[in-house]
Amino acid sequence: MSRQKLIMGNWKMNGDRTTLHALVQHIKGIKPVADSEIVVFPPFVYIEKVAYELRNSPISVGGQNLSQDENGAHTGEISAEMLVDVGCKYVLIGHSECRQRGETGETLQHKFIKAVLAGLKPVLCVGETQAQRLEHKTEQIVLAQLESVLNLPAVASFLPQMTVAYEPVWAIGTGLTATPQEAQKVHEMLRGAIREKDKTLAEKISILYGGSVKGNNAQHLFEMPDIDGALIGGASLNGEEFKTICHMIG
């Protein structure tokens, strides 16, 4: 069964109006290969500007996070509805950098539901630290993170909107990356857990790899049967390298 291929660029807290305008001009002409989609996640304050500049391109826009709460007295927070209002199609949930700041499984569940109900497509991020990896807890950790969503009531109705991104924390911004075989093993395990909930959807849900993905290693990762694309950090800020990776996914 064919699954959608996805290349996602998480710009994190980088750039300004000038540099991000230049980046958008460089990438907006990218033509996605068949059955693929390209998505970028700008800093919150630049989402509307980036979405406007990409309005006639095939590239979609997403939010890097969202609030678990509705609109109201939540200073500094961004609601799901606000993200939709400024042009977002996707939203990252459970990124390791948010988990490290105290995001819990329960918080993540609320965010996931808010995202889906608002019409956003949640990208659920899972991954283990270097210490957990060395203690051979990769399977235990990533499955627990995935199951915090899979165990939600009526989750079957939410699953078609979900993308999963395996981002080993030890490989984010370090220059280290899992070998294609190591990444494939975790992706296969994640798909197996989804299959226990819904066999058909398990073959449709895209599972991405993230963790120092670059032009010199992306091709080998994409050759693995359960790796359906990438969630890219630093390399997505380099227009030429991002373009190169996007063309490798076919």
Side-chain angles (χ1 to χ4, degrees):
M1 182 178 295
S2 176
R3 291 188 294 273
Q4 185 182 37
K5 303 295 185 179
L6 289 159
I7 299 293
M8 296 182 163
N10 179 12
W11 295 351
K12 304 190 179 183
M13 195 174 70
N14 291 295
D16 53 31
R17 291 175 64 88
T18 301
T19 59
L20 294 185
H21 172 74
L23 178 58
V24 169
Q25 297 310 304
H26 195 92
I27 69 173
K28 71 179 185 179
I30 300 175
K31 291 182 172 57
V33 299
D35 299 320
S36 74
E37 185 175 6
I38 300 168
V39 188
V40 294
F41 296 84
F44 284 129
V45 295
Y46 300 122
I47 288 175
E48 189 166 19
K49 174 179 169 59
V50 170
Y52 180 78
E53 293 186 352
L54 290 173
R55 67 194 182 283
N56 294 321
S57 84
I59 301 177
S60 300
V61 175
Q64 296 179 16
N65 200 351
L66 79 163
S67 174
Q68 65 175 324
D69 298 304
E70 301 287 347
N71 297 335
H74 305 290
T75 301
E77 296 289 342
I78 307 291
S79 73
E81 290 78 9
M82 290 175 178
L83 292 178
V84 172
D85 192 40
V86 295
C88 289
K89 181 178 178 181
Y90 289 86
V91 64
L92 301 179
I93 294 179
H95 193 282
S96 63
E97 290 158 4
C98 296
R99 293 180 190 270
Q100 288 168 357
R101 292 195 297 267
E103 185 169 88
T104 65
E106 183 179 358
T107 301
L108 186 149
Q109 290 175 340
H110 290 300
K111 290 185 176 186
F112 188 90
I113 293 170
K114 286 289 190 298
V116 174
L117 293 179
L120 291 166
K121 293 179 177 290
V123 181
L124 176 66
C125 302
V126 301
E128 82 283 18
T129 65
Q130 177 73 330
Q132 291 164 339
R133 180 191 186 210
L134 294 175
E135 293 172 0
H136 305 289
K137 292 182 177 179
T138 296
E139 179 175 351
Q140 174 187 339
I141 296 300
V142 299
L143 285 182
Q145 292 171 344
L146 175 65
E147 288 169 357
S148 69
V149 166
L150 289 186
N151 291 333
L152 283 169
V155 72
S157 62
F158 297 152
L159 282 179
Q161 308 305 318
M162 180 173 71
T163 298
V164 178
Y166 169 54
E167 289 198 304
V169 181
W170 50 269
I172 298 175
T174 64
L176 301 173
T177 187
T179 67
Q181 293 75 23
E182 288 171 335
Q184 165 59 23
K185 182 178 179 181
V186 178
H187 281 233
E188 184 178 19
M189 177 180 62
L190 291 167
R191 197 174 306 284
I194 298 170
R195 188 176 292 115
E196 291 180 8
K197 291 290 183 181
D198 190 308
K199 292 181 180 179
T200 301
L201 284 175
E203 305 311 317
K204 292 183 178 180
I205 289 177
S206 300
I207 304 179
L208 316 181
Y209 175 75
S212 297
V213 176
K214 294 179 171 51
N216 62 8
N217 61 23
Q219 186 66 62
H220 295 301
L221 289 163
F222 296 160
E223 290 171 355
M224 297 294 103
D226 287 294
I227 297 180
D228 305 311
L231 177 56
I232 305 162
S236 68
L237 295 166
N238 180 316
E240 197 57 37
E241 185 159 23
F242 188 62
K243 185 185 297 185
T244 296
I245 297 171
C246 289
H247 289 156
M248 289 180 174
I249 193 63

